[in-house]
Every structure is written in C-alpha cells, then in structure tokens.
Amino acid sequence: LMSFFSTTPLTEVALQEMASVAYGIALCIERKHSELALDATEGKYRFVVENIREVVFQMSEFGYWTFLNPAWTAATGFTAKETLGTFFLDYVHHDDRAQNRHIFLQLIERRIDYCRYETRLLTKDGDTRWMEVYAQLTLNPDGTVLGTAGSLNDITERKKAEIQVQKLAAFPRVNPNPVLEFAADG
C-alpha cells in the first residue's frame, strides 16, 4: 500500500496482490449478501411452518417422529419436545393402527410415493381428533429412503358434522312415529 501513495509506478506483482485482496473482499461481501438472503428466506419459511394451523411433520424410515411444528401441540396437547423420537403409532387410535401401519409400510417399501387418508389420533387428555393425513416418501440425495414427511389437518369438526347428518338421515327409517317439519314462518 505504501507504493500506492508514492509517485513510483506499481509493479506487476503489487498490482496482482492488490487484485487478489480486492477479489477476496468481493467474495466476502458476496458471501455475506448470500447469507443474509438465506437467513431472510429461512425466516419466512420458519414463520410459515411455526404459524400454520396444519401439523407439519417428518418421520424416520422406522416411524419415529423427527420434526413436528407447534400445530402438533394445539391438535393433540403433546409438546413436540415430548413427542420427538417416539413411535408414530403410539398416537394413533387403536382401531386405526393396522391401516396406518399398512400405509406407512407401502411408503417405506416404495410401493407408493404418497398417500392421503383419514385417521384418528389420541390426545394427551384421552380424547381423539380426526386427522386428514398427507404423507410422502422422503429420499436422501443418493436415492435411499430417509423417511416420510407431510401434514396432518384436523378435520374433527367436519367428521362430527358428517356423523350428525348420517344420524339425521337414518332417523326417519328407525323412528316408527311420523316426523313433521315446519318452516320457520309456520
């Protein structure tokens, strides 16, 4: 740098050294811009995943929870911390476990790429919640099975309404007494 301020012309070696330093500074600046852009993008994804009402999950190839967003706690009462590392079937209603096991094995054995079905999950307080499950196979870059990932959408209220409609539809057939229906205005 001393020669930069002197009146003597810079040598070729000095110019190359300055170019190398400038290139290094430019790389550092570019890397910092990339890191900031990546942080901003990750922040947006993290915000969505943490605030969406659907449960977003990942499971290992052996069926153990590896990721759950906060919607899991809202739906089941179990925290992600106490659930991670546990077997997914432990949270499935006992009447639905065979179906869930069968579908999971189809995914892991690569007989299907994804699935969508309804099942019941157990809650921490002993209740059940109906969930629409969407799951797909996840693979490592080399093509080996990593596990599954997907979402759980709480459809409990919809299922309750469907059951009520079915009961009401069956009522005239099982009730021996005539049923009359009047409009609100009489």
Side-chain angles (χ1 to χ4, degrees):
L1 284 177
M2 289 303 288
S3 62
F4 179 79
F5 294 107
S6 73
T7 54
T8 8
L10 295 173
T11 66
E12 185 65 32
V13 171
L15 287 172
Q16 287 176 351
E17 287 175 357
M18 288 177 65
S20 292
V21 169
Y23 181 72
I25 291 170
L27 283 177
C28 289
I29 292 171
E30 184 180 331
R31 185 179 315 126
K32 188 63 177 176
H33 283 291
S34 296
E35 288 172 1
L36 291 172
L38 181 60
D39 286 347
T41 300
E42 286 178 355
K44 289 177 187 177
Y45 282 114
R46 189 177 311 109
F47 179 82
V48 169
V49 169
E50 290 178 0
N51 291 288
I52 193 168
R53 293 180 59 147
E54 284 189 356
V55 176
V56 177
F57 71 87
Q58 285 182 317
M59 286 191 294
S60 72
E61 65 181 310
F62 304 108
Y64 293 92
W65 299 109
T66 59
F67 176 82
L68 290 160
N69 70 336
W72 171 257
T73 303
T76 67
F78 295 103
T79 66
K81 185 177 179 180
E82 68 187 306
T83 307
L84 293 177
T86 63
F87 192 51
F88 83 100
L89 283 179
D90 293 342
Y91 301 89
V92 175
H93 189 279
H94 66 276
D95 291 342
D96 297 347
R97 287 182 184 170
Q99 171 198 18
N100 279 265
R101 183 181 300 111
H102 175 73
I103 292 170
F104 180 75
L105 287 175
Q106 284 185 318
L107 281 169
I108 295 301
E109 293 170 356
R110 300 177 99 165
R111 289 185 273 150
I112 57 175
D113 294 326
Y114 69 93
C115 60
R116 186 179 301 274
Y117 64 97
E118 296 175 359
T119 193
R120 291 169 289 178
L121 293 185
L122 304 171
T123 65
K124 193 169 190 171
D125 64 6
D127 199 7
T128 58
R129 304 294 295 172
W130 277 97
M131 296 286 178
E132 179 181 49
V133 179
Y134 172 79
Q136 66 183 31
L137 191 61
T138 56
L139 303 173
N140 283 312
D142 66 1
T144 59
V145 174
L146 180 63
T148 60
S151 63
L152 305 170
N153 185 21
D154 190 339
I155 58 168
T156 303
E157 296 308 313
R158 185 184 87 198
K159 291 300 275 189
K160 285 179 181 178
E162 288 174 5
I163 291 167
Q164 283 299 101
V165 167
Q166 289 171 353
K167 285 180 183 177
L168 290 174
F171 183 73
R173 287 180 265 145
V174 296
N175 186 358
N177 300 319
V179 176
L180 300 174
E181 184 177 332
F182 293 96
D185 61 2

